[in-house]
Amino acid sequence: MSVSIVQYYGSQEGKCGYCGGTNCSLSHGMHAYRLDCQDYQDLIDRGWRRCGNYCYKLRNQETCCPCYTIKCDALEFKLSKSNKRILRRMNRYLRDGKRDSKPDGGDGEGDPGDLDGDDVTVAGEAASSEPQPQLPDKSPAVINVDQVASLARAQKKPSAKQAAASTAEAPTLGSNKSAAPISNAPRKKAKQMRLERRQAKLGDTAATSTKSVCQEKTLRDFLSTDSETNKHQLKLRLVHVYDEEFNRTLPESFALYKKYQISIHNDPPKNQNAYKDHLQLTPMKNEKPSDGPEMGYGSFHQQYWLDDKLIAVGVIDILPACVSSVYFFYDPDYSFLSLGTYGSLREIDLVQSIAENVPALKYYYMGFYIHSCPKMRYKGKLSASYLLCPETYEWLPLTDAIRSKLDEQKYQRLNSDAAARDVNEFLMEHLDEVMLLLDAKTCADYKHYVQQLRGPDTDVDTIIEYSKLVGKVCAHRMLYVNML
């Protein structure tokens, strides 16, 4: 596990990318020199989000447009009629190269009356691409990240919980500690068992017959249509942001991003370095644990190549429990393919593929759901979607009841159980174990830091604020830069 190193900036304010207001977007911010992928997973599960190396968390009770972290359970996801229309449209275009002239594709399979606005919204407004947050004027302290990480690993002591886990007796061969418990139930007679097997076999046969007739096509079925006879070939490449392949294709991806920003947002990037700061720079390394996915964890670009032309890029983070969508941009000339929604469906398919070998990684994070901003409500149209309660940090299904509550008031606790609490809440009794970087060669927990002070700690309130925002686990695991 790598060491996370962060510098907390405190409260921030800036222009809102949703309502357009000036200095009304209120948040907390911090610079991440390095983030362990599990730490970032824990942070986004507390409402944090990153843009390059800058991490921010909205002050939802005060900001103009409250932002609720939203995720989709990819294993429970079901295609809507609109999703199927988009997939059929793409498949027809790949097959014969023809653009649809009717909203439902003209094949009778779609439902013209089910025009819920997904196609128009995504084609015209950049699907999963949230506005870039206004970055603070502050510059982070200059440190040698690798040196500090080595220092922290050498000085960091295991927590009491970790120590207990390491000394616990592990199951050994023959100990039966990991075996299923032995049942004392009476054994069935052979005749009864044969009868049950016969009934089960007959039931399976009937179920298989019904399934073959009634089962709807899955997302994988729609995407498994590659054929050498197609007029066009669409290939996806997953490229880590620090791989050589990223640098090799940088001219194409930057040209596409520039075209997209000008056409869709009327906001041309300053230069190629600004593009890299926004969508290549990441505080996470490409971690490859033995029980993780083949490509490992970290930050990637999923490139969409139509024949030999790059037409879209999905910027994603692959984390221990999810694929998190960071940004998506595409060639406006292909807006008729609803590439924003198509990209989301492809990213859900990526989650489903990874989950076959890594069951814990089964969620697709879409960033923020902003109910008070109508153009951002499309994220809530994916089935099996959940919102994060901004107070208890529990996930709740996005239902019509929650939508009605947000119609009444833009900030809501979401969790209706008044007794529910944040299980990862940071309390004053946890302060002593907060990890601090004091200078280029010294790190210590807060208890030892205070013992070295000759006067009162003037930074204690800021350290407590930071710790409450990141939660107890991250406050004890990450290294807080507290250098003068």
PDB file of all heavy atoms in Angstrom, residues 1 36-37 285-298 318-320 358:
ATOM      1  N   MET A   1       0.843  -1.189   0.000  1.00  0.00           N
ATOM      2  CA  MET A   1       0.000   0.000   0.000  1.00  0.00           C
ATOM      3  C   MET A   1       0.881   1.243   0.000  1.00  0.00           C
ATOM      4  O   MET A   1       1.764   1.382   0.831  1.00  0.00           O
ATOM      5  CB  MET A   1      -0.894  -0.004   1.245  1.00  0.00           C
ATOM      6  CG  MET A   1      -1.997   1.033   1.223  1.00  0.00           C
ATOM      7  SD  MET A   1      -3.046   0.854   2.681  1.00  0.00           S
ATOM      8  CE  MET A   1      -4.431   1.858   2.205  1.00  0.00           C
ATOM      9  N   ASP A  36      -3.038   6.782  -2.424  1.00  0.00           N
ATOM     10  CA  ASP A  36      -3.246   5.352  -2.560  1.00  0.00           C
ATOM     11  C   ASP A  36      -4.645   5.139  -3.123  1.00  0.00           C
ATOM     12  O   ASP A  36      -5.595   5.860  -2.783  1.00  0.00           O
ATOM     13  CB  ASP A  36      -3.123   4.686  -1.182  1.00  0.00           C
ATOM     14  CG  ASP A  36      -3.452   3.217  -1.222  1.00  0.00           C
ATOM     15  OD1 ASP A  36      -2.597   2.432  -1.653  1.00  0.00           O
ATOM     16  OD2 ASP A  36      -4.586   2.872  -0.830  1.00  0.00           O
ATOM     17  N   CYS A  37      -4.800   4.152  -4.009  1.00  0.00           N
ATOM     18  CA  CYS A  37      -6.094   3.959  -4.678  1.00  0.00           C
ATOM     19  C   CYS A  37      -7.211   3.631  -3.690  1.00  0.00           C
ATOM     20  O   CYS A  37      -8.350   4.054  -3.877  1.00  0.00           O
ATOM     21  CB  CYS A  37      -5.972   2.869  -5.748  1.00  0.00           C
ATOM     22  SG  CYS A  37      -4.943   3.363  -7.163  1.00  0.00           S
ATOM     23  N   LYS A 285      -0.743   6.006  -8.500  1.00  0.00           N
ATOM     24  CA  LYS A 285       0.114   5.136  -9.289  1.00  0.00           C
ATOM     25  C   LYS A 285      -0.701   3.985  -9.862  1.00  0.00           C
ATOM     26  O   LYS A 285      -1.824   3.728  -9.429  1.00  0.00           O
ATOM     27  CB  LYS A 285       1.244   4.576  -8.421  1.00  0.00           C
ATOM     28  CG  LYS A 285       2.327   5.576  -8.049  1.00  0.00           C
ATOM     29  CD  LYS A 285       3.467   4.876  -7.325  1.00  0.00           C
ATOM     30  CE  LYS A 285       4.662   5.798  -7.127  1.00  0.00           C
ATOM     31  NZ  LYS A 285       5.795   5.101  -6.462  1.00  0.00           N
ATOM     32  N   ASN A 286      -0.127   3.295 -10.829  1.00  0.00           N
ATOM     33  CA  ASN A 286      -0.771   2.100 -11.388  1.00  0.00           C
ATOM     34  C   ASN A 286      -0.459   0.916 -10.475  1.00  0.00           C
ATOM     35  O   ASN A 286       0.552   0.239 -10.631  1.00  0.00           O
ATOM     36  CB  ASN A 286      -0.251   1.860 -12.810  1.00  0.00           C
ATOM     37  CG  ASN A 286      -1.009   0.763 -13.540  1.00  0.00           C
ATOM     38  OD1 ASN A 286      -0.560   0.252 -14.559  1.00  0.00           O
ATOM     39  ND2 ASN A 286      -2.169   0.376 -13.041  1.00  0.00           N
ATOM     40  N   GLU A 287      -1.334   0.701  -9.491  1.00  0.00           N
ATOM     41  CA  GLU A 287      -1.149  -0.371  -8.520  1.00  0.00           C
ATOM     42  C   GLU A 287      -1.679  -1.686  -9.092  1.00  0.00           C
ATOM     43  O   GLU A 287      -2.789  -1.728  -9.617  1.00  0.00           O
ATOM     44  CB  GLU A 287      -1.867  -0.036  -7.210  1.00  0.00           C
ATOM     45  CG  GLU A 287      -1.403   1.268  -6.567  1.00  0.00           C
ATOM     46  CD  GLU A 287      -2.247   1.646  -5.359  1.00  0.00           C
ATOM     47  OE1 GLU A 287      -3.058   0.807  -4.911  1.00  0.00           O
ATOM     48  OE2 GLU A 287      -2.112   2.783  -4.862  1.00  0.00           O
ATOM     49  N   LYS A 288      -0.905  -2.757  -8.963  1.00  0.00           N
ATOM     50  CA  LYS A 288      -1.302  -4.051  -9.513  1.00  0.00           C
ATOM     51  C   LYS A 288      -1.193  -5.151  -8.456  1.00  0.00           C
ATOM     52  O   LYS A 288      -0.290  -5.974  -8.494  1.00  0.00           O
ATOM     53  CB  LYS A 288      -0.461  -4.398 -10.737  1.00  0.00           C
ATOM     54  CG  LYS A 288      -0.721  -3.498 -11.938  1.00  0.00           C
ATOM     55  CD  LYS A 288      -0.015  -4.006 -13.190  1.00  0.00           C
ATOM     56  CE  LYS A 288      -0.386  -3.172 -14.405  1.00  0.00           C
ATOM     57  NZ  LYS A 288       0.255  -3.677 -15.643  1.00  0.00           N
ATOM     58  N   PRO A 289      -2.124  -5.174  -7.491  1.00  0.00           N
ATOM     59  CA  PRO A 289      -2.108  -6.252  -6.492  1.00  0.00           C
ATOM     60  C   PRO A 289      -2.491  -7.586  -7.132  1.00  0.00           C
ATOM     61  O   PRO A 289      -3.157  -7.614  -8.175  1.00  0.00           O
ATOM     62  CB  PRO A 289      -3.162  -5.794  -5.473  1.00  0.00           C
ATOM     63  CG  PRO A 289      -4.094  -4.933  -6.259  1.00  0.00           C
ATOM     64  CD  PRO A 289      -3.240  -4.238  -7.282  1.00  0.00           C
ATOM     65  N   SER A 290      -2.102  -8.659  -6.509  1.00  0.00           N
ATOM     66  CA  SER A 290      -2.353  -9.988  -7.076  1.00  0.00           C
ATOM     67  C   SER A 290      -3.843 -10.302  -7.191  1.00  0.00           C
ATOM     68  O   SER A 290      -4.247 -11.081  -8.054  1.00  0.00           O
ATOM     69  CB  SER A 290      -1.664 -11.058  -6.216  1.00  0.00           C
ATOM     70  OG  SER A 290      -2.144 -11.005  -4.871  1.00  0.00           O
ATOM     71  N   ASP A 291      -4.656  -9.725  -6.314  1.00  0.00           N
ATOM     72  CA  ASP A 291      -6.092  -9.998  -6.347  1.00  0.00           C
ATOM     73  C   ASP A 291      -6.876  -8.894  -7.051  1.00  0.00           C
ATOM     74  O   ASP A 291      -8.104  -8.837  -6.959  1.00  0.00           O
ATOM     75  CB  ASP A 291      -6.638 -10.188  -4.933  1.00  0.00           C
ATOM     76  CG  ASP A 291      -6.390  -8.968  -4.041  1.00  0.00           C
ATOM     77  OD1 ASP A 291      -5.623  -8.070  -4.460  1.00  0.00           O
ATOM     78  OD2 ASP A 291      -6.958  -8.906  -2.939  1.00  0.00           O
ATOM     79  N   GLY A 292      -6.189  -8.004  -7.769  1.00  0.00           N
ATOM     80  CA  GLY A 292      -6.847  -6.915  -8.472  1.00  0.00           C
ATOM     81  C   GLY A 292      -7.098  -7.235  -9.931  1.00  0.00           C
ATOM     82  O   GLY A 292      -6.793  -8.335 -10.411  1.00  0.00           O
ATOM     83  N   PRO A 293      -7.645  -6.286 -10.687  1.00  0.00           N
ATOM     84  CA  PRO A 293      -7.905  -6.504 -12.112  1.00  0.00           C
ATOM     85  C   PRO A 293      -6.611  -6.569 -12.912  1.00  0.00           C
ATOM     86  O   PRO A 293      -5.557  -6.101 -12.455  1.00  0.00           O
ATOM     87  CB  PRO A 293      -8.750  -5.299 -12.499  1.00  0.00           C
ATOM     88  CG  PRO A 293      -8.373  -4.237 -11.515  1.00  0.00           C
ATOM     89  CD  PRO A 293      -8.074  -4.955 -10.233  1.00  0.00           C
ATOM     90  N   GLU A 294      -6.695  -7.128 -14.102  1.00  0.00           N
ATOM     91  CA  GLU A 294      -5.502  -7.327 -14.929  1.00  0.00           C
ATOM     92  C   GLU A 294      -4.787  -6.015 -15.222  1.00  0.00           C
ATOM     93  O   GLU A 294      -3.557  -5.951 -15.205  1.00  0.00           O
ATOM     94  CB  GLU A 294      -5.903  -8.003 -16.237  1.00  0.00           C
ATOM     95  CG  GLU A 294      -4.737  -8.287 -17.171  1.00  0.00           C
ATOM     96  CD  GLU A 294      -5.170  -8.933 -18.468  1.00  0.00           C
ATOM     97  OE1 GLU A 294      -6.383  -9.165 -18.643  1.00  0.00           O
ATOM     98  OE2 GLU A 294      -4.298  -9.213 -19.315  1.00  0.00           O
ATOM     99  N   MET A 295      -5.542  -4.951 -15.498  1.00  0.00           N
ATOM    100  CA  MET A 295      -4.920  -3.668 -15.826  1.00  0.00           C
ATOM    101  C   MET A 295      -4.463  -2.902 -14.589  1.00  0.00           C
ATOM    102  O   MET A 295      -3.767  -1.899 -14.688  1.00  0.00           O
ATOM    103  CB  MET A 295      -5.884  -2.799 -16.641  1.00  0.00           C
ATOM    104  CG  MET A 295      -7.060  -2.205 -15.858  1.00  0.00           C
ATOM    105  SD  MET A 295      -8.318  -3.426 -15.342  1.00  0.00           S
ATOM    106  CE  MET A 295      -9.015  -3.858 -16.923  1.00  0.00           C
ATOM    107  N   GLY A 296      -4.832  -3.401 -13.412  1.00  0.00           N
ATOM    108  CA  GLY A 296      -4.470  -2.741 -12.170  1.00  0.00           C
ATOM    109  C   GLY A 296      -5.408  -1.598 -11.834  1.00  0.00           C
ATOM    110  O   GLY A 296      -6.390  -1.331 -12.535  1.00  0.00           O
ATOM    111  N   TYR A 297      -5.104  -0.901 -10.744  1.00  0.00           N
ATOM    112  CA  TYR A 297      -5.856   0.278 -10.326  1.00  0.00           C
ATOM    113  C   TYR A 297      -5.093   1.529 -10.761  1.00  0.00           C
ATOM    114  O   TYR A 297      -3.889   1.503 -10.976  1.00  0.00           O
ATOM    115  CB  TYR A 297      -6.045   0.296  -8.811  1.00  0.00           C
ATOM    116  CG  TYR A 297      -6.758  -0.914  -8.254  1.00  0.00           C
ATOM    117  CD1 TYR A 297      -6.171  -1.695  -7.262  1.00  0.00           C
ATOM    118  CD2 TYR A 297      -8.012  -1.283  -8.722  1.00  0.00           C
ATOM    119  CE1 TYR A 297      -6.820  -2.813  -6.743  1.00  0.00           C
ATOM    120  CE2 TYR A 297      -8.670  -2.394  -8.216  1.00  0.00           C
ATOM    121  CZ  TYR A 297      -8.066  -3.152  -7.228  1.00  0.00           C
ATOM    122  OH  TYR A 297      -8.713  -4.260  -6.721  1.00  0.00           O
ATOM    123  N   GLY A 298      -5.804   2.636 -10.876  1.00  0.00           N
ATOM    124  CA  GLY A 298      -5.168   3.891 -11.254  1.00  0.00           C
ATOM    125  C   GLY A 298      -6.009   4.658 -12.251  1.00  0.00           C
ATOM    126  O   GLY A 298      -7.224   4.456 -12.364  1.00  0.00           O
ATOM    127  N   ILE A 318      -9.849   3.566 -12.113  1.00  0.00           N
ATOM    128  CA  ILE A 318     -10.232   2.215 -11.712  1.00  0.00           C
ATOM    129  C   ILE A 318      -9.749   2.017 -10.277  1.00  0.00           C
ATOM    130  O   ILE A 318      -8.558   2.083  -9.991  1.00  0.00           O
ATOM    131  CB  ILE A 318      -9.627   1.159 -12.659  1.00  0.00           C
ATOM    132  CG1 ILE A 318     -10.145   1.388 -14.087  1.00  0.00           C
ATOM    133  CG2 ILE A 318      -9.994  -0.249 -12.186  1.00  0.00           C
ATOM    134  CD1 ILE A 318      -9.604   0.400 -15.113  1.00  0.00           C
ATOM    135  N   LEU A 319     -10.702   1.808  -9.374  1.00  0.00           N
ATOM    136  CA  LEU A 319     -10.444   1.759  -7.933  1.00  0.00           C
ATOM    137  C   LEU A 319     -10.898   0.419  -7.368  1.00  0.00           C
ATOM    138  O   LEU A 319     -11.542  -0.371  -8.069  1.00  0.00           O
ATOM    139  CB  LEU A 319     -11.163   2.924  -7.252  1.00  0.00           C
ATOM    140  CG  LEU A 319     -10.799   4.331  -7.774  1.00  0.00           C
ATOM    141  CD1 LEU A 319     -11.709   5.381  -7.171  1.00  0.00           C
ATOM    142  CD2 LEU A 319      -9.344   4.639  -7.473  1.00  0.00           C
ATOM    143  N   PRO A 320     -10.591   0.125  -6.111  1.00  0.00           N
ATOM    144  CA  PRO A 320     -10.916  -1.188  -5.557  1.00  0.00           C
ATOM    145  C   PRO A 320     -12.382  -1.576  -5.584  1.00  0.00           C
ATOM    146  O   PRO A 320     -12.692  -2.770  -5.574  1.00  0.00           O
ATOM    147  CB  PRO A 320     -10.394  -1.088  -4.114  1.00  0.00           C
ATOM    148  CG  PRO A 320      -9.244  -0.141  -4.208  1.00  0.00           C
ATOM    149  CD  PRO A 320      -9.681   0.882  -5.212  1.00  0.00           C
ATOM    150  N   VAL A 358     -12.976  -9.839 -10.208  1.00  0.00           N
ATOM    151  CA  VAL A 358     -12.810  -9.058  -8.971  1.00  0.00           C
ATOM    152  C   VAL A 358     -14.214  -8.665  -8.491  1.00  0.00           C
ATOM    153  O   VAL A 358     -14.697  -7.565  -8.789  1.00  0.00           O
ATOM    154  CB  VAL A 358     -11.938  -7.802  -9.207  1.00  0.00           C
ATOM    155  CG1 VAL A 358     -11.629  -7.104  -7.887  1.00  0.00           C
ATOM    156  CG2 VAL A 358     -10.645  -8.164  -9.923  1.00  0.00           C
TER     157      VAL A 358
END
